[in-house]
Amino acid sequence: MKSQIDIAVIGAGPQALTLVTHLLQKKQALRDRIQVFDPSGTWMAQWQQQFAAQEIPYLRSPGVHHPDPKHTLFNFAERRQDELHLPYNRPGTALFQDFCETVIDRWQLRDRVTAAQVMKLTPLPSRFQLQLSNGEQIEARRVVLATGGGKAQVPAWVAQVNLHPPERLCHAQDVCLPELPDLTGETVLIVGSGQSSAHLAVGAVGRGARVLLMARRTLTEKLFDAEPGWLGPKYLKGFQAEQDWQVRWQMIQAARNGGSIAPELLHRLRRYSRSGQVTFYERCHVSNATWQGEAWQVQCSLPTVHDCLAHQSIDRIWLATGTQTDITAHPLMGEILERYPNQIVNGLPVLDEHLRWPGCELFLMGPWAALQVGPVARNLHGGRMGCDRIVPALTKASVARTVA
Ligand SMILES: Cc1cc2nc3c(=O)[nH]c(=O)nc-3n(C[C@H](O)[C@H](O)[C@H](O)COP(=O)(O)OP(=O)(O)OC[C@H]3O[C@@H](n4cnc5c(N)ncnc54)[C@H](O)[C@@H]3O)c2cc1C
Protein backbone atom coordinates (compact mmCIF):
# COMPACT_ATOMS: atom_id res chain seq x y z
CA MET A 1 0.00 0.00 0.00
CA LYS A 2 1.20 3.52 -0.79
CA SER A 3 1.89 5.90 2.13
CA GLN A 4 -0.30 8.99 2.18
CA ILE A 5 0.95 12.22 3.70
CA ASP A 6 -0.22 15.81 3.85
CA ILE A 7 2.90 17.94 3.20
CA ALA A 8 6.01 16.61 1.47
CA VAL A 9 9.07 18.87 1.61
CA ILE A 10 11.69 17.93 -0.97
CA GLY A 11 15.17 18.90 0.26
CA ALA A 12 16.49 19.43 3.82
CA GLY A 13 18.66 22.51 3.37
CA PRO A 14 18.39 25.77 5.34
CA GLN A 15 15.38 26.91 3.30
CA ALA A 16 13.42 23.74 4.09
CA LEU A 17 14.44 24.02 7.76
CA THR A 18 13.22 27.63 7.81
CA LEU A 19 9.91 26.56 6.30
CA VAL A 20 9.31 23.70 8.74
CA THR A 21 10.11 25.76 11.87
CA HIS A 22 7.84 28.57 10.67
CA LEU A 23 5.05 26.10 9.84
CA LEU A 24 5.27 24.55 13.30
CA GLN A 25 5.36 27.92 14.98
CA LYS A 26 2.11 28.78 13.24
CA LYS A 27 0.47 25.38 13.63
CA GLN A 28 1.96 22.74 15.94
CA ALA A 29 -0.70 20.27 14.80
CA LEU A 30 1.08 19.98 11.45
CA ARG A 31 4.03 18.19 13.12
CA ASP A 32 2.96 14.67 12.14
CA ARG A 33 1.67 15.76 8.76
CA ILE A 34 5.00 16.92 7.36
CA GLN A 35 7.58 14.61 5.82
CA VAL A 36 10.95 15.85 4.56
CA PHE A 37 13.04 14.02 1.96
CA ASP A 38 16.76 14.39 1.35
CA PRO A 39 19.27 11.79 0.12
CA SER A 40 21.53 12.57 3.12
CA GLY A 41 18.83 11.75 5.70
CA THR A 42 19.93 14.81 7.72
CA TRP A 43 19.38 18.55 7.77
CA MET A 44 21.81 20.96 6.09
CA ALA A 45 24.08 18.28 4.61
CA GLN A 46 24.67 20.11 1.34
CA TRP A 47 25.26 23.43 3.11
CA GLN A 48 27.89 21.85 5.37
CA GLN A 49 29.52 20.04 2.46
CA GLN A 50 29.81 23.29 0.46
CA PHE A 51 31.28 25.25 3.36
CA ALA A 52 33.79 22.47 4.13
CA ALA A 53 34.73 21.96 0.47
CA GLN A 54 35.54 25.65 -0.02
CA GLU A 55 36.94 26.09 3.52
CA ILE A 56 34.63 29.06 4.12
CA PRO A 57 35.43 30.50 7.56
CA TYR A 58 32.27 32.56 8.03
CA LEU A 59 28.99 33.37 6.32
CA ARG A 60 28.52 36.21 3.91
CA SER A 61 25.15 37.10 5.41
CA PRO A 62 24.60 38.78 8.80
CA GLY A 63 23.76 36.79 11.94
CA VAL A 64 20.13 37.96 11.90
CA HIS A 65 19.57 35.64 8.94
CA HIS A 66 18.94 32.07 10.15
CA PRO A 67 16.16 29.44 10.18
CA ASP A 68 14.63 30.00 13.64
CA PRO A 69 11.43 32.06 13.96
CA LYS A 70 11.77 32.60 17.74
CA HIS A 71 15.33 32.47 19.04
CA THR A 72 18.20 34.65 17.98
CA LEU A 73 21.65 33.51 16.97
CA PHE A 74 23.08 36.40 18.98
CA ASN A 75 21.74 35.00 22.28
CA PHE A 76 23.21 31.63 21.39
CA ALA A 77 26.53 33.32 20.61
CA GLU A 78 26.72 35.10 23.97
CA ARG A 79 29.97 33.35 24.92
CA ARG A 80 31.25 33.09 21.35
CA GLN A 81 31.44 36.75 20.37
CA ASP A 82 34.79 36.18 18.68
CA GLU A 83 32.95 34.06 16.10
CA LEU A 84 30.86 37.02 14.94
CA HIS A 85 32.67 38.85 12.17
CA LEU A 86 32.37 42.58 11.63
CA PRO A 87 30.74 44.34 9.95
CA TYR A 88 27.18 43.08 10.53
CA ASN A 89 28.15 40.19 12.83
CA ARG A 90 28.52 37.58 10.13
CA PRO A 91 28.57 34.23 11.96
CA GLY A 92 31.49 31.83 11.80
CA THR A 93 30.74 28.58 9.95
CA ALA A 94 30.90 26.44 13.12
CA LEU A 95 28.83 28.91 15.15
CA PHE A 96 26.10 28.96 12.50
CA GLN A 97 26.08 25.18 12.24
CA ASP A 98 25.94 24.73 16.03
CA PHE A 99 23.06 27.19 16.20
CA CYS A 100 21.22 25.29 13.46
CA GLU A 101 21.71 22.05 15.46
CA THR A 102 19.93 23.70 18.41
CA VAL A 103 17.15 24.79 16.04
CA ILE A 104 16.74 21.19 14.83
CA ASP A 105 16.59 19.91 18.43
CA ARG A 106 14.39 22.71 19.77
CA TRP A 107 11.77 22.02 17.11
CA GLN A 108 12.27 18.23 17.50
CA LEU A 109 13.09 17.77 13.86
CA ARG A 110 16.09 15.48 14.07
CA ASP A 111 14.22 12.37 12.96
CA ARG A 112 12.02 14.15 10.45
CA VAL A 113 14.20 13.68 7.35
CA THR A 114 13.67 10.52 5.33
CA ALA A 115 16.92 9.44 3.66
CA ALA A 116 15.74 9.31 0.07
CA GLN A 117 16.00 11.29 -3.11
CA VAL A 118 12.73 12.08 -4.82
CA MET A 119 13.23 10.66 -8.30
CA LYS A 120 9.92 11.58 -9.86
CA LEU A 121 7.05 13.91 -9.06
CA THR A 122 3.75 13.03 -10.71
CA PRO A 123 0.63 15.16 -10.41
CA LEU A 124 -2.53 13.13 -9.70
CA PRO A 125 -6.03 14.55 -9.27
CA SER A 126 -5.82 16.64 -6.05
CA ARG A 127 -2.48 15.17 -4.91
CA PHE A 128 1.01 14.14 -6.03
CA GLN A 129 2.89 10.89 -6.27
CA LEU A 130 6.55 10.89 -5.22
CA GLN A 131 8.78 8.11 -6.46
CA LEU A 132 11.66 7.67 -3.98
CA SER A 133 15.18 6.38 -4.58
CA ASN A 134 14.55 3.62 -2.00
CA GLY A 135 11.83 2.20 -4.25
CA GLU A 136 8.93 3.52 -2.16
CA GLN A 137 6.03 5.53 -3.49
CA ILE A 138 4.43 8.26 -1.42
CA GLU A 139 1.30 10.26 -2.08
CA ALA A 140 1.21 13.81 -0.78
CA ARG A 141 -1.60 16.33 -0.80
CA ARG A 142 0.82 19.28 -0.93
CA VAL A 143 4.45 19.48 -1.97
CA VAL A 144 7.17 22.07 -1.31
CA LEU A 145 10.18 21.97 -3.64
CA ALA A 146 13.20 23.19 -1.62
CA THR A 147 15.97 21.58 -3.64
CA GLY A 148 18.27 24.62 -3.77
CA GLY A 149 20.09 25.78 -6.89
CA GLY A 150 19.99 24.11 -10.26
CA LYS A 151 22.64 22.10 -12.07
CA ALA A 152 26.16 23.44 -12.52
CA GLN A 153 26.38 26.06 -15.25
CA VAL A 154 29.34 25.46 -17.55
CA PRO A 155 30.62 27.69 -20.37
CA ALA A 156 30.03 26.55 -23.97
CA TRP A 157 33.73 25.81 -24.70
CA VAL A 158 33.68 22.96 -22.17
CA ALA A 159 31.64 20.84 -24.62
CA GLN A 160 34.54 21.02 -27.11
CA VAL A 161 37.46 20.01 -24.89
CA ASN A 162 39.39 16.85 -25.69
CA LEU A 163 39.86 13.86 -23.41
CA HIS A 164 41.45 14.84 -20.07
CA PRO A 165 41.71 13.50 -16.52
CA PRO A 166 38.39 14.51 -14.90
CA GLU A 167 39.99 16.14 -11.85
CA ARG A 168 41.84 18.59 -14.14
CA LEU A 169 38.62 20.35 -15.18
CA CYS A 170 35.96 20.70 -12.48
CA HIS A 171 33.01 22.86 -11.64
CA ALA A 172 33.39 24.65 -8.28
CA GLN A 173 30.67 22.34 -6.85
CA ASP A 174 33.04 19.40 -7.38
CA VAL A 175 36.21 20.95 -5.98
CA CYS A 176 36.90 19.82 -2.41
CA LEU A 177 39.88 21.79 -1.09
CA PRO A 178 40.61 19.52 1.91
CA GLU A 179 40.92 16.52 -0.41
CA LEU A 180 43.44 18.13 -2.77
CA PRO A 181 47.10 17.22 -2.70
CA ASP A 182 49.82 19.83 -2.18
CA LEU A 183 49.66 22.09 -5.25
CA THR A 184 53.14 23.59 -5.03
CA GLY A 185 54.41 24.34 -8.52
CA GLU A 186 50.95 24.03 -10.09
CA THR A 187 49.01 26.73 -11.92
CA VAL A 188 45.24 26.76 -11.43
CA LEU A 189 42.97 28.76 -13.74
CA ILE A 190 39.77 29.75 -11.93
CA VAL A 191 36.96 31.04 -14.13
CA GLY A 192 34.35 33.28 -12.50
CA SER A 193 34.00 36.46 -10.48
CA GLY A 194 31.81 35.52 -7.54
CA GLN A 195 32.52 34.63 -3.93
CA SER A 196 33.21 30.95 -4.74
CA SER A 197 35.98 31.85 -7.19
CA ALA A 198 37.63 33.88 -4.42
CA HIS A 199 37.33 31.14 -1.78
CA LEU A 200 38.81 28.61 -4.19
CA ALA A 201 41.63 31.00 -5.12
CA VAL A 202 42.52 31.46 -1.44
CA GLY A 203 42.43 27.68 -0.95
CA ALA A 204 44.65 27.01 -3.98
CA VAL A 205 47.20 29.66 -2.95
CA GLY A 206 47.21 28.16 0.55
CA ARG A 207 48.24 24.83 -1.01
CA GLY A 208 51.11 26.42 -2.90
CA ALA A 209 49.51 26.96 -6.31
CA ARG A 210 49.73 30.01 -8.51
CA VAL A 211 46.24 31.17 -9.48
CA LEU A 212 44.99 32.82 -12.66
CA LEU A 213 41.60 34.36 -11.95
CA MET A 214 39.62 34.99 -15.11
CA ALA A 215 36.42 37.05 -15.10
CA ARG A 216 34.14 38.22 -17.90
CA ARG A 217 33.70 41.45 -15.99
CA THR A 218 35.85 43.59 -13.75
CA LEU A 219 35.93 41.96 -10.32
CA THR A 220 33.37 43.71 -8.14
CA GLU A 221 33.66 44.26 -4.42
CA LYS A 222 30.37 44.02 -2.48
CA LEU A 223 29.73 43.10 1.12
CA PHE A 224 26.54 41.15 0.34
CA ASP A 225 25.61 39.55 -2.97
CA ALA A 226 22.66 41.95 -3.31
CA GLU A 227 22.17 45.38 -1.71
CA PRO A 228 20.48 45.22 1.73
CA GLY A 229 17.65 47.33 0.22
CA TRP A 230 16.46 44.06 -1.38
CA LEU A 231 15.71 42.59 2.05
CA GLY A 232 12.89 45.03 2.71
CA PRO A 233 10.53 47.58 1.20
CA LYS A 234 13.25 49.98 0.00
CA TYR A 235 13.68 48.09 -3.28
CA LEU A 236 11.05 45.36 -2.96
CA LYS A 237 8.16 47.83 -3.09
CA GLY A 238 9.06 48.92 -6.60
CA PHE A 239 9.94 45.36 -7.61
CA GLN A 240 6.60 43.97 -6.49
CA ALA A 241 4.69 46.86 -8.06
CA GLU A 242 6.26 45.99 -11.43
CA GLN A 243 3.71 44.08 -13.50
CA ASP A 244 6.03 43.09 -16.34
CA TRP A 245 7.77 39.80 -15.43
CA GLN A 246 10.56 40.46 -17.96
CA VAL A 247 11.35 43.74 -16.24
CA ARG A 248 11.35 41.97 -12.86
CA TRP A 249 13.79 39.41 -14.28
CA GLN A 250 16.06 42.20 -15.45
CA MET A 251 15.87 43.84 -12.02
CA ILE A 252 17.05 40.56 -10.45
CA GLN A 253 19.98 40.32 -12.88
CA ALA A 254 20.95 43.92 -12.27
CA ALA A 255 20.79 43.47 -8.47
CA ARG A 256 22.99 40.36 -8.46
CA ASN A 257 25.15 41.77 -11.23
CA GLY A 258 26.70 38.42 -12.16
CA GLY A 259 28.41 37.86 -8.83
CA SER A 260 30.67 39.84 -6.54
CA ILE A 261 33.30 39.29 -3.86
CA ALA A 262 33.20 40.45 -0.23
CA PRO A 263 35.72 43.28 0.42
CA GLU A 264 38.06 41.46 2.83
CA LEU A 265 38.34 38.52 0.43
CA LEU A 266 39.05 40.72 -2.58
CA HIS A 267 41.67 42.64 -0.57
CA ARG A 268 43.33 39.34 0.23
CA LEU A 269 43.39 38.39 -3.47
CA ARG A 270 44.86 41.80 -4.33
CA ARG A 271 47.59 41.17 -1.77
CA TYR A 272 48.30 37.80 -3.39
CA SER A 273 48.38 39.53 -6.76
CA ARG A 274 51.10 41.90 -5.54
CA SER A 275 53.17 38.91 -4.45
CA GLY A 276 52.57 37.15 -7.80
CA GLN A 277 50.49 34.31 -6.33
CA VAL A 278 47.34 35.48 -8.14
CA THR A 279 47.07 37.05 -11.61
CA PHE A 280 43.80 38.71 -12.64
CA TYR A 281 42.50 38.36 -16.18
CA GLU A 282 39.48 40.63 -16.25
CA ARG A 283 36.94 41.34 -19.00
CA CYS A 284 37.84 38.23 -20.96
CA HIS A 285 36.83 34.60 -21.17
CA VAL A 286 38.22 31.28 -22.33
CA SER A 287 37.63 30.66 -26.03
CA ASN A 288 39.10 27.16 -26.03
CA ALA A 289 41.19 24.80 -23.95
CA THR A 290 43.19 21.77 -25.07
CA TRP A 291 44.55 19.08 -22.76
CA GLN A 292 48.09 18.39 -23.90
CA GLY A 293 48.85 15.26 -21.95
CA GLU A 294 50.27 16.96 -18.88
CA ALA A 295 48.70 20.40 -18.82
CA TRP A 296 46.09 22.64 -20.45
CA GLN A 297 46.75 25.11 -23.18
CA VAL A 298 44.15 27.84 -22.96
CA GLN A 299 43.22 30.55 -25.41
CA CYS A 300 41.17 33.49 -24.23
CA SER A 301 38.93 35.98 -25.99
CA LEU A 302 41.58 38.71 -25.84
CA PRO A 303 44.64 36.94 -27.32
CA THR A 304 46.38 40.20 -28.21
CA VAL A 305 46.11 41.49 -24.65
CA HIS A 306 46.64 38.19 -22.83
CA ASP A 307 48.95 36.44 -25.28
CA CYS A 308 50.89 35.26 -22.26
CA LEU A 309 47.98 33.02 -21.21
CA ALA A 310 48.40 30.83 -24.30
CA HIS A 311 52.02 30.17 -23.29
CA GLN A 312 51.26 29.16 -19.74
CA SER A 313 51.03 25.58 -18.80
CA ILE A 314 47.89 25.28 -16.71
CA ASP A 315 47.49 22.24 -14.47
CA ARG A 316 43.86 22.62 -13.42
CA ILE A 317 40.80 24.58 -14.48
CA TRP A 318 38.03 25.26 -11.95
CA LEU A 319 34.75 26.71 -13.15
CA ALA A 320 33.19 28.96 -10.52
CA THR A 321 30.47 29.80 -13.01
CA GLY A 322 27.37 29.34 -10.86
CA THR A 323 24.27 27.23 -11.34
CA GLN A 324 21.52 27.16 -13.95
CA THR A 325 18.20 28.64 -13.02
CA ASP A 326 16.01 27.03 -15.64
CA ILE A 327 12.94 25.43 -14.10
CA THR A 328 12.25 23.53 -17.34
CA ALA A 329 15.53 21.63 -16.75
CA HIS A 330 14.64 20.71 -13.14
CA PRO A 331 14.58 16.90 -12.95
CA LEU A 332 11.32 16.85 -10.95
CA MET A 333 9.36 19.35 -13.03
CA GLY A 334 8.78 17.49 -16.31
CA GLU A 335 5.31 16.10 -15.59
CA ILE A 336 4.22 19.22 -13.71
CA LEU A 337 5.10 21.39 -16.72
CA GLU A 338 3.19 19.03 -18.99
CA ARG A 339 0.08 18.84 -16.82
CA TYR A 340 0.11 22.50 -15.67
CA PRO A 341 1.74 24.65 -18.37
CA ASN A 342 2.88 27.94 -16.90
CA GLN A 343 4.53 31.17 -17.92
CA ILE A 344 8.32 30.90 -17.64
CA VAL A 345 10.50 34.01 -17.88
CA ASN A 346 14.10 33.21 -18.85
CA GLY A 347 13.94 30.01 -16.83
CA LEU A 348 12.06 31.40 -13.82
CA PRO A 349 8.42 30.41 -13.23
CA VAL A 350 5.62 32.86 -12.59
CA LEU A 351 4.11 31.63 -9.30
CA ASP A 352 1.13 32.96 -7.37
CA GLU A 353 1.62 35.23 -4.34
CA HIS A 354 2.02 32.13 -2.10
CA LEU A 355 4.80 30.78 -4.36
CA ARG A 356 2.39 28.13 -5.63
CA TRP A 357 2.58 26.68 -9.11
CA PRO A 358 -0.64 27.78 -10.85
CA GLY A 359 -3.21 24.98 -10.93
CA CYS A 360 -1.85 22.72 -8.18
CA GLU A 361 -0.63 22.59 -4.57
CA LEU A 362 3.07 22.66 -5.41
CA PHE A 363 5.13 25.42 -3.73
CA LEU A 364 8.62 26.46 -4.83
CA MET A 365 11.39 27.92 -2.69
CA GLY A 366 14.92 29.18 -3.32
CA PRO A 367 16.02 30.52 -6.70
CA TRP A 368 12.74 29.41 -8.29
CA ALA A 369 10.81 31.98 -6.24
CA ALA A 370 12.90 34.94 -7.40
CA LEU A 371 10.23 36.61 -9.58
CA GLN A 372 8.11 37.06 -6.44
CA VAL A 373 10.68 37.22 -3.64
CA GLY A 374 13.38 39.17 -5.47
CA PRO A 375 17.14 38.80 -5.96
CA VAL A 376 17.84 37.28 -2.51
CA ALA A 377 15.33 34.44 -2.99
CA ARG A 378 18.09 31.80 -2.94
CA ASN A 379 19.72 33.09 0.26
CA LEU A 380 18.89 32.48 3.93
CA HIS A 381 16.79 35.62 4.16
CA GLY A 382 15.05 34.72 0.90
CA GLY A 383 13.98 31.49 2.62
CA ARG A 384 12.42 33.55 5.39
CA MET A 385 10.60 35.77 2.90
CA GLY A 386 9.43 32.68 1.02
CA CYS A 387 7.97 31.28 4.27
CA ASP A 388 5.98 34.44 4.86
CA ARG A 389 4.20 33.63 1.62
CA ILE A 390 3.96 29.82 1.79
CA VAL A 391 3.03 29.34 5.47
CA PRO A 392 -0.38 31.09 5.24
CA ALA A 393 -1.33 28.91 2.27
CA LEU A 394 -0.37 25.71 4.11
CA THR A 395 -1.95 26.63 7.43
CA LYS A 396 -5.11 28.60 6.68
CA ALA A 397 -8.03 26.98 4.91
CA SER A 398 -9.12 30.40 3.61
CA VAL A 399 -6.06 30.77 1.37
CA ALA A 400 -5.81 27.14 0.31
CA ARG A 401 -6.75 26.56 -3.31
CA THR A 402 -9.69 24.38 -4.11
CA VAL A 403 -8.24 21.64 -6.20
CA ALA A 404 -10.31 20.67 -9.19
C1 LIG B 1 29.37 28.09 -0.97
C2 LIG B 1 28.10 28.83 -0.68
C3 LIG B 1 28.04 29.71 0.40
C4 LIG B 1 26.85 30.41 0.67
N1 LIG B 1 26.82 31.27 1.71
C5 LIG B 1 25.68 31.92 1.99
C6 LIG B 1 25.60 32.81 3.11
O1 LIG B 1 26.56 33.04 3.83
N2 LIG B 1 24.40 33.42 3.35
C7 LIG B 1 23.30 33.22 2.58
O2 LIG B 1 22.24 33.78 2.86
N3 LIG B 1 23.36 32.40 1.50
C8 LIG B 1 24.51 31.75 1.20
N4 LIG B 1 24.56 30.90 0.12
C9 LIG B 1 23.36 30.79 -0.74
C10 LIG B 1 22.28 29.87 -0.14
O3 LIG B 1 21.86 30.30 1.14
C11 LIG B 1 22.74 28.46 0.02
O4 LIG B 1 23.00 27.96 -1.27
C12 LIG B 1 21.72 27.56 0.73
O5 LIG B 1 22.31 26.30 0.88
C13 LIG B 1 20.41 27.46 0.03
O6 LIG B 1 19.56 26.68 0.81
P1 LIG B 1 18.55 25.65 0.17
O7 LIG B 1 17.87 24.97 1.31
O8 LIG B 1 17.69 26.34 -0.83
O9 LIG B 1 19.45 24.66 -0.69
P2 LIG B 1 20.53 23.55 -0.28
O10 LIG B 1 21.30 23.92 0.92
O11 LIG B 1 21.26 23.26 -1.54
O12 LIG B 1 19.63 22.28 0.09
C14 LIG B 1 18.83 21.62 -0.85
C15 LIG B 1 18.76 20.17 -0.46
O13 LIG B 1 17.85 19.54 -1.37
C16 LIG B 1 18.32 18.25 -1.62
N5 LIG B 1 17.73 17.76 -2.86
C17 LIG B 1 17.94 18.18 -4.13
N6 LIG B 1 17.22 17.45 -5.00
C18 LIG B 1 16.52 16.55 -4.26
C19 LIG B 1 15.59 15.51 -4.58
N7 LIG B 1 15.23 15.25 -5.85
N8 LIG B 1 15.06 14.76 -3.57
C20 LIG B 1 15.40 15.00 -2.28
N9 LIG B 1 16.28 15.99 -1.92
C21 LIG B 1 16.83 16.75 -2.90
C22 LIG B 1 19.84 18.43 -1.72
O14 LIG B 1 20.48 17.18 -1.51
C23 LIG B 1 20.09 19.43 -0.60
O15 LIG B 1 20.41 18.77 0.61
C24 LIG B 1 25.72 30.20 -0.16
C25 LIG B 1 25.80 29.31 -1.24
C26 LIG B 1 26.97 28.64 -1.49
C27 LIG B 1 27.03 27.70 -2.67
Side-chain angles (χ1 to χ4, degrees):
M1 205 186 106
K2 289 187 193 108
S3 311
Q4 307 255 357
I5 56 172
D6 182 1
I7 302 172
V9 180
I10 309 180
Q15 291 234 357
L17 183 58
T18 308
L19 176 76
V20 174
T21 57
H22 283 71
L23 270 176
L24 293 180
Q25 192 201 20
K26 197 83 193 160
K27 197 169 177 183
Q28 268 293 336
L30 283 178
R31 167 168 298 284
D32 296 325
R33 290 161 55 186
I34 304 171
Q35 197 166 350
V36 183
F37 300 94
D38 194 289
S40 66
T42 58
W43 292 99
M44 310 270 300
Q46 186 139 309
W47 170 280
Q48 285 183 54
Q49 187 276 333
Q50 283 168 338
F51 272 68
Q54 295 187 20
E55 297 179 337
I56 303 177
Y58 54 89
L59 274 66
R60 194 174 187 185
S61 50
V64 286
H65 299 170
H66 60 70
D68 198 292
K70 268 199 195 153
H71 296 80
T72 74
L73 184 142
F74 298 128
N75 280 345
F76 177 75
E78 210 180 349
R79 287 193 198 83
R80 296 172 69 172
Q81 294 294 310
D82 55 330
E83 293 176 62
L84 292 170
H85 298 260
L86 294 172
Y88 293 99
N89 291 315
R90 291 162 294 166
T93 302
L95 174 68
F96 186 77
Q97 187 56 39
D98 291 348
F99 175 70
C100 288
E101 296 299 326
T102 67
V103 176
I104 294 163
D105 286 334
R106 192 178 307 124
W107 294 93
Q108 298 171 353
L109 299 173
R110 199 153 292 283
D111 59 356
R112 286 280 129 180
V113 185
T114 302
Q117 184 175 353
V118 177
M119 308 302 286
K120 204 165 158 205
L121 181 63
T122 307
L124 304 173
S126 69
R127 59 198 195 285
F128 299 87
Q129 188 181 79
L130 284 73
Q131 178 70 53
L132 306 185
S133 52
N134 60 12
E136 273 181 57
Q137 275 184 6
I138 305 276
E139 283 188 7
R141 204 158 69 82
R142 293 148 334 151
V143 172
V144 182
L145 194 75
T147 52
K151 280 196 300 208
Q153 168 118 36
V154 294
W157 57 265
V158 173
Q160 315 293 332
V161 298
N162 57 338
L163 202 62
H164 58 274
E167 73 281 6
R168 297 300 174 134
L169 173 61
C170 303
H171 189 273
Q173 282 181 347
D174 303 317
V175 177
C176 182
L177 291 171
E179 285 174 9
L180 285 170
D182 180 41
L183 301 179
T184 304
E186 288 200 18
T187 300
V188 181
L189 171 64
I190 301 178
V191 179
S193 55
Q195 187 89 339
S196 286
S197 67
H199 283 304
L200 292 179
V202 168
V205 167
R207 284 167 176 76
R210 204 167 62 88
V211 168
L212 314 177
L213 191 56
M214 182 178 282
R216 277 180 180 273
R217 306 171 312 115
T218 309
L219 294 173
T220 309
E221 173 182 314
K222 258 201 295 179
L223 189 54
F224 305 122
D225 49 3
E227 292 296 321
W230 284 108
L231 304 173
K234 185 174 174 193
Y235 294 152
L236 283 176
K237 209 167 160 218
F239 178 78
Q240 274 145 11
E242 178 55 62
Q243 301 291 307
D244 184 329
W245 297 108
Q246 280 288 349
V247 176
R248 282 206 197 187
W249 185 85
Q250 279 154 9
M251 290 165 96
I252 296 166
Q253 303 313 303
R256 297 193 73 88
N257 196 19
S260 59
I261 300 176
E264 65 276 18
L265 209 47
L266 192 53
H267 293 172
R268 192 158 170 193
L269 295 181
R270 292 210 169 105
R271 239 186 14 251
Y272 288 153
S273 126
R274 287 193 287 278
S275 58
Q277 290 158 292
V278 170
T279 307
F280 298 117
Y281 289 93
E282 291 171 284
R283 274 172 279 124
C284 78
H285 58 268
V286 172
S287 50
N288 68 69
T290 315
W291 178 252
Q292 300 202 307
E294 296 212 320
W296 291 102
Q297 194 195 29
V298 174
Q299 238 111 41
C300 76
S301 55
L302 293 174
T304 47
V305 184
H306 296 147
D307 178 46
C308 48
L309 188 68
H311 302 297
Q312 307 222 24
S313 133
I314 291 167
D315 299 280
R316 296 168 196 267
I317 305 179
W318 295 342
L319 305 168
T321 41
T323 50
Q324 288 172 11
T325 41
D326 179 5
I327 194 68
T328 65
H330 193 294
L332 295 180
M333 289 303 294
E335 293 189 40
I336 303 287
L337 282 152
E338 236 170 68
R339 172 79 173 77
Y340 301 104
N342 184 20
Q343 189 181 353
I344 313 284
V345 180
N346 303 321
L348 292 179
V350 174
L351 306 172
D352 78 4
E353 61 173 312
H354 296 292
L355 308 185
R356 180 169 29 200
W357 192 269
C360 62
E361 292 293 305
L362 170 67
F363 299 81
L364 278 75
M365 299 191 79
W368 314 115
L371 286 179
Q372 281 70 16
V373 171
V376 303
R378 67 180 68 183
N379 294 359
L380 295 175
H381 191 70
R384 176 74 65 101
M385 293 197 291
C387 288
D388 292 344
R389 290 162 172 271
I390 297 176
V391 168
L394 290 178
T395 52
K396 283 190 212 149
S398 57
V399 286
R401 265 191 76 252
T402 332
V403 182

